[in-house]
């Protein structure tokens, strides 16, 4: 493809300034809606990443020595800047990721809530007062920053992912190097510019664009990075755990999911269909928490299946405000989803709706996938057990709640789960036993709010939880301080 002169170039952000990549190499970013070249972004090398880490190291002392309350005030100013630029940010997200505008605006709203919560944490950042067995000894804990936080994010909800990690890292007094996702480079740069506008000192927040295996890996490998917080695929997460684990860096992993959505025979079926559709297809299924395994009691299976298929067939694809879901974020992702559907068909799955990219309309130019529902797959079929990260769900029939739980737990992942039932007993029994970090009753397989811990069992993470106060444990060290009252000095 010929690169037009005016193609925007999205650079790194180091020490409060836009920085071109050392090698002068650039990568193409395409518009998911129509496949056209949208911009180019820095193909950063190890040298660029190391420069960003140096900037973060140089800025650490002065930022960490501010009181948490002062840091919270700066965070509140960043939130105010995000609010002022909310439309520009939402437009950028919509364009880069192919989301309908209401979804992009909702995501900016989510980032604002994260910022407000962690700005407020500046007035708390609580420690504990401890008792002692030694008479006259008084002890308490304080939180101290880890140092440099290396934050690595995917593109599915780009500004929410950035806010989710950046605000708790900053309030704890760390400085940050953010590795932006390849498919959402501009939003990371816009966020960085807003931090400067809001008065965040240079070097406290830096952005590296580029490839994960080059620019991202350099961050993971850098001995100066004391905490690595990664959201992304389980395979990359495992490599990060191994690599950064060798030098005993703190590691927080928010990984994939294959989340069960159970519909009992006493469920409000219309509500269950509504939430199942949202769980499986919102954000074009590009959610770690997507409800991609729908487990239904036999007695109501046919009725539920027909309603859900009708609902999926009525969903509107596109990027305008009357659309339900947009394209997936890249051609590579579209191809991988189509291949997963093909494998499912080869493994005996019956495709009830969707199953392909739209053809014959203007959507054929973009990276769209029709909402797809597949039945008849074994629990261990590839599509029933591996994350697809697209608008694809499999339907499974069970006889009773025991079987439903067994199937729900028959996954290496354990991120979120939902159950639809009118029985408190069933709901409570299931929620207590399901292998998931988040269990929801009569709603979707949705994530958390800023004050709620989110994270998964099994291959969905390494046991850390972000956000909520639990995120402070990722980004800070606890220190116990003790005093002995010298009674002879009274
Ligand atoms: P990915 O793992 O390919 O990439 C995620 C980020 O990691 C990108 O910025 C990428 O450049 C970087 N990266 C890739 N290889 C790297 C390496 N070797 N070293 C350092 N960085 C590297 O994931 P993706 O396909 O972009 O995102 C989808 C995945 O993210 C899905 O598995 C989804 O479930 C998961 N996800 C999880 C959560 C959660 O909270 N648990 C939230 C959103 C997405």
């Amino acid at each position: 493809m010929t690169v037009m002169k005016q193609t925007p170039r999205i650079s790194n952000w180091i020490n409060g300034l836009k920085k071109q990549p050392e090698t002068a190499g650039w990568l193409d970013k395409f518009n998911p809606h129509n496949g056209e070249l949208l911009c180019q972004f820095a193909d950063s090398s190890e040298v660029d990443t190391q420069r960003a880490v140096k900037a973060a190291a140089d800025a650490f002392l002065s930022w960490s020595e501010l009181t948490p309350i002062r840091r919270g005030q700066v965070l509140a100013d960043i939130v105010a800047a995000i609010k002022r630029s909310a439309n520009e940010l939402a437009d950028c997200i919509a364009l880069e990721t192919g989301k309908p505008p209401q979804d992009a605006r909702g995501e900016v709203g989510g980032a604002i809530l994260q910022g407000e919560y962690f700005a407020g944490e500046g007035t708390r950042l609580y420690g504990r007062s401890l008792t002692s067995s030694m008479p006259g000894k008084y002890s308490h804990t304080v939180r101290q920053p880890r140092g440099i936080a290396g934050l690595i994010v995917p593109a599915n909800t780009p500004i929410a992912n950035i806010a989710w990690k950046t605000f708790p890292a900053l309030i704890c007094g760390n400085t940050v190097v953010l590795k932006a996702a390849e498919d959402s480079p501009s939003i990371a740069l816009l966020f960085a510019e807003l931090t400067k506008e809001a008065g965040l000192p240079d070097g406290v927040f830096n952005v590296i664009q580029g490839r994960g295996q080059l620019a991202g890996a350099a961050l993971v490998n850098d001995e100066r990075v004391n905490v690595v917080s990664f959201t992304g695929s389980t395979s990359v997460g495992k490599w990060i755990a191994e690599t950064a684990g060798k030098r005993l860096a703190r590691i927080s992993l928010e990984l994939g999911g294959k989340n069960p959505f159970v519909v009992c025979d006493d469920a409000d079926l219309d509500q269950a269909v509504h939430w199942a559709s949202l769980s499986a297809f919102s954000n074009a299924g590009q959610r770690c928490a997507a409800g991609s395994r729908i487990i239904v009691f036999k007695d109501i299976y046919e009725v539920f299946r027909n309603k859900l298929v009708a609902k999926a067939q009525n969903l509107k694809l596109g990027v305008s405000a009357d659309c339900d879901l947009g394209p997936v974020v890249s051609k590579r992702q579209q191809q991988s989803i189509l291949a997963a559907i093909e494998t499912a068909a080869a493994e005996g799955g019956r495709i009830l709706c969707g199953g392909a990219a739209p053809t014959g309309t203007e959507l054929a130019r973009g990276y769209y996938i029709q909402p797809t529902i597949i039945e008849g797959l074994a629990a261990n079929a590839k599509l029933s057990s591996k994350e697809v990260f697209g608008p694809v769900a499999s339907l499974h029939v069970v006889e009773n709640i025991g079987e439903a739980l067994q199937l729900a737990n028959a996954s290496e992942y354990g991120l979120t789960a939902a159950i639809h039932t009118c029985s408190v007993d069933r709901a409570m029994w299931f929620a207590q036993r399901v292998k998931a970090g988040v269990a929801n009753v009569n709603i979707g397989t949705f994530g958390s709010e800023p004050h709620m811990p989110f994270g998964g069992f099994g291959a969905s993470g390494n046991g850390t939880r972000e956000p909520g106060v639990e995120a402070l444990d990722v980004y800070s060290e606890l220190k116990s301080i003790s005093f002995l009252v010298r009674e002879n000095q009274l």
Side-chain angles (χ1 to χ4, degrees), residues 98-241:
K99 274 178 225 266
Q102 65 278 17
D103 289 5
R105 278 198 302 274
E107 195 186 311
V108 176
I112 288 169
L113 290 175
Q114 289 284 349
E116 286 174 338
Y117 176 79
F118 284 106
E121 200 53 46
T123 58
R124 295 181 294 267
L125 222 59
Y126 292 137
R128 282 191 299 149
S129 160
L130 307 168
T131 55
S132 168
S133 60
M134 183 187 288
K137 182 178 164 193
Y138 295 91
S139 303
H140 67 280
T141 60
V142 292
R143 287 192 184 276
Q144 298 199 328
R146 294 274 309 169
I148 300 171
L151 311 180
I152 305 174
V153 291
N156 62 332
T157 50
I159 198 168
N161 294 346
I162 292 170
W164 184 283
K165 296 185 185 302
T166 300
F167 287 122
L170 291 181
I171 197 64
C172 289
N174 304 283
T175 53
V176 167
V177 177
L178 174 87
K179 160 65 183 67
E182 288 89 325
D183 288 305
S184 56
S186 314
I187 195 70
L189 189 61
L190 272 182
F191 184 92
E193 288 173 325
L194 290 177
T195 64
K196 179 152 179 143
E197 180 188 316
L200 189 74
D202 291 349
V204 174
F205 178 78
N206 307 276
V207 176
I208 282 293
Q209 311 279 359
R211 286 175 279 169
Q213 288 181 356
L214 191 57
L219 192 56
V220 176
N221 278 317
D222 197 306
E223 298 276 334
R224 294 167 294 179
V225 175
N226 316 81
V227 49
V228 179
S229 177
F230 169 78
T231 298
S233 58
T234 297
S235 54
V236 174
K238 283 180 179 169
W239 178 79
I240 289 176

Side-chain angles (χ1 to χ4, degrees), residues 327-356:
V328 295
V329 80
S330 67
K331 178 119 194 131
R332 187 177 55 85
Q333 185 59 14
Q334 185 198 35
Q335 296 304 323
S336 134
I337 295 165
L338 291 172
I341 295 171
E342 213 172 287
T343 306
E347 287 189 303
R350 288 183 296 282
I351 296 167
L352 302 174
C353 61

Side-chain angles (χ1 to χ4, degrees), residues 12-17 19 44-60 148-150 175-179 202-209 215 218-219 222 224-225:
N12 294 322
W13 180 264
I14 299 176
N15 207 18
L17 292 171
K19 283 274 184 240
S44 306
S45 67
E46 202 176 11
V47 174
D48 298 300
T49 302
Q50 286 168 352
R51 283 188 182 151
V53 174
K54 174 161 189 333
D58 291 347
F60 175 70
I148 300 171
T175 53
V176 167
V177 177
L178 174 87
K179 160 65 183 67
D202 291 349
V204 174
F205 178 78
N206 307 276
V207 176
I208 282 293
Q209 311 279 359
L219 192 56
D222 197 306
R224 294 167 294 179
V225 175

Side-chain angles (χ1 to χ4, degrees), residues 9 139 194 212 221 241 263 276 304 340 345 455 465 476:
R9 286 191 155 169
S139 303
L194 290 177
N221 278 317
V263 187
F304 176 84
R465 295 291 183 265
S476 63

